[in-house]
Amino acid sequence: MKWLKNDDSTDGVEVEEGGGSGSGGGTGRMFGKIGGGGAIIVVIISLLLGKNPLQMLGFVNNVLPDNSQQQTSGHVGTIVDTRADNDSNFARKVYLSDNEIWQKIFAEQIHRSYSKPILHLFVDHTSTGCGQASTVSGPFYCPADSKVYIDLAFYNQLSQELNAPGDLAKAYVVAHEMGHHIQHLLGVTDKVDAARQQLSDADYNKLSVKLELQADFYAGLWAHYAQQENTISLNDADIQSALNAAHAVGDDNLEKQSQGYAVPETFTHGTSEQRMYWFKKGYTTGDINQGNTFSDPSLN
C-alpha cells in the first residue's frame, strides 16, 4: 500500500503518551464472545470492529464514564517509541482519508450532513466516554463521545499474534471503526441497541453480526474510493493483507483457536468467510447500497 497524497493536517486527532488506569472500553470491538484460554487474546482485540461497549466477555460491565484525562484536540503529541510514532502517522492518514470520502458520500449519495469523529491515539491507558480503556481493550469506537480509539500497541499484535501484517490490514482497523461512526450517524447503532431489550441472546447475536459485517463493508468501501481518488495505490498483496486480517478475526477462527471448536450461536461478529466477503464486497462494488447486511437473507 502506497500513499499518493500527503496530508499533514492534525485536525480532529488526539494523541496521548499514557492514560488513566482501568480496563474498560467502548463500541467497536472486532471479536466475538469467546471462552477458554484464548479469552485474553480475544479481549486484546475485542474492541476492534464493533459491539456495544459493555458486552464483550463481561469485560467492561458497570464501568462508568471518566472524562478526567487531559487530552489535546487537533494536535499530534510526542510518541517516544519510533514504531508507535509511525503507526500514529499512518492511522492519522487513514482517518483523514476516511473523513474526506464519507463527507462526499454523505453529500452526494446519502444527502445528509456529515460530522466527523475524533481520532484518539493512545498507548497503555486512556479515559473515554464509554469508560476506562487499556491495552487489553484494543481499538474501538465510542458513540458516547463520537471518538475512534486506537491503542498504537495493537498494530504489533495484529501482525505478530494474529499473523495479519501489512499496511492495508492496519488501515482496515481504523476504517472499520470509522464504519461504526457512520452507523452511529445513520441511527443504525441506536436501533440495534434498542432491539437488545426485545430479543433473546441468540437473536441479538445475529443482529450484532450484521452490524459488524456492515462495518467491514464500509471499511472495504473506503479502500475502493481511496484508490479511485488516487489517495492510495493498492496491489493484490495489499488486498490479501486486509482479507487476512478479516479472516483472523472471524468468530469461528477465534473460537477454534481458543477452545478447539466453534459454537455458531455465540457468534457476534461473523465468521472468517463472512468478514472477508463483506470487506471485499465493499471494495469491489464501491456501492453503499450494496452494504445493507440487515436485509441479506443469508445472514438470517
Side-chain angles (χ1 to χ4, degrees):
M1 174 177 165
K2 181 179 180 181
W3 288 99
L4 302 178
K5 292 181 181 178
N6 291 320
D7 190 341
D8 295 329
S9 173
T10 60
D11 183 38
V13 181
E14 300 174 342
V15 177
E16 59 176 315
E17 293 184 37
S21 62
S23 58
T27 302
R29 305 171 183 178
M30 188 167 196
F31 289 83
K33 182 170 60 177
I34 192 170
I40 297 301
I41 295 177
V42 173
V43 169
I44 288 176
I45 317 163
S46 64
L47 300 179
L48 177 60
L49 298 181
K51 184 158 175 63
N52 193 293
L54 304 181
Q55 292 175 346
M56 181 76 57
L57 296 175
F59 174 62
V60 286
N61 286 337
N62 303 316
V63 177
L64 297 177
D66 180 353
N67 297 312
S68 61
Q69 179 64 35
Q70 294 295 320
Q71 301 168 353
T72 304
S73 179
H75 173 71
V76 176
T78 301
I79 299 294
V80 177
D81 183 81
T82 302
R83 177 184 294 168
D85 191 47
N86 290 337
D87 286 341
S88 172
N89 186 51
F90 181 87
R92 176 187 62 82
K93 288 182 178 181
V94 177
Y95 164 77
L96 293 172
S97 172
D98 228 312
N99 276 320
E100 181 179 346
I101 286 169
W102 282 109
Q103 184 85 41
K104 291 182 180 180
I105 292 176
F106 267 59
E108 299 173 3
Q109 301 182 39
I110 302 178
H111 306 297
R112 291 180 56 172
S113 61
Y114 173 77
S115 60
K116 65 183 181 181
I118 296 294
L119 174 65
H120 187 95
L121 305 173
F122 70 98
V123 175
D124 193 17
H125 302 287
T126 192
S127 296
T128 86
C130 296
Q132 297 293 319
S134 68
T135 298
V136 294
S137 303
F140 61 95
Y141 172 71
C142 175
D145 56 19
S146 295
K147 292 185 180 183
V148 170
Y149 290 89
I150 305 292
D151 179 2
L152 296 173
F154 173 75
Y155 283 136
N156 189 50
Q157 297 166 345
L158 182 66
S159 175
Q160 296 188 7
E161 297 181 22
L162 292 177
N163 194 30
D167 283 348
L168 194 59
K170 294 193 296 184
Y172 168 53
V173 175
V174 179
H176 178 99
E177 300 310 335
M178 292 288 287
H180 284 301
H181 178 64
I182 302 306
Q183 292 172 322
H184 176 59
L185 293 180
L186 296 178
V188 176
T189 306
D190 288 341
K191 291 180 181 179
V192 171
D193 285 344
R196 181 172 180 80
Q197 305 301 320
Q198 307 169 14
L199 300 174
S200 65
D201 287 344
D203 286 338
Y204 179 77
N205 286 347
K206 292 181 180 179
L207 202 60
S208 177
V209 166
K210 295 177 182 181
L211 188 74
E212 297 304 322
L213 295 179
Q214 186 177 63
D216 283 339
F217 175 89
Y218 288 159
L221 200 69
W222 164 77
H224 171 92
Y225 282 105
Q227 180 169 240
Q228 185 181 78
E229 298 181 7
N230 293 318
T231 300
I232 60 176
S233 175
L234 300 174
N235 56 34
D236 291 344
D238 295 320
I239 301 302
Q240 189 59 50
S241 74
L243 293 177
N244 288 343
H247 181 276
V249 296
D251 285 325
D252 54 340
N253 184 55
L254 291 172
E255 290 192 0
K256 287 176 182 177
Q257 287 186 7
S258 68
Q259 61 192 26
Y261 57 92
V263 183
E265 292 78 12
T266 66
F267 293 173
T268 57
H269 294 71
T271 65
S272 294
E273 182 179 357
Q274 288 172 330
R275 304 201 74 164
M276 294 168 66
Y277 171 81
W278 284 98
F279 173 85
K280 192 171 184 179
K281 186 175 183 179
Y283 173 71
T284 56
T285 67
D287 181 4
I288 192 172
N289 295 316
Q290 299 292 317
N292 188 356
T293 55
F294 295 91
S295 64
D296 191 311
S298 70
L299 298 176
N300 292 331

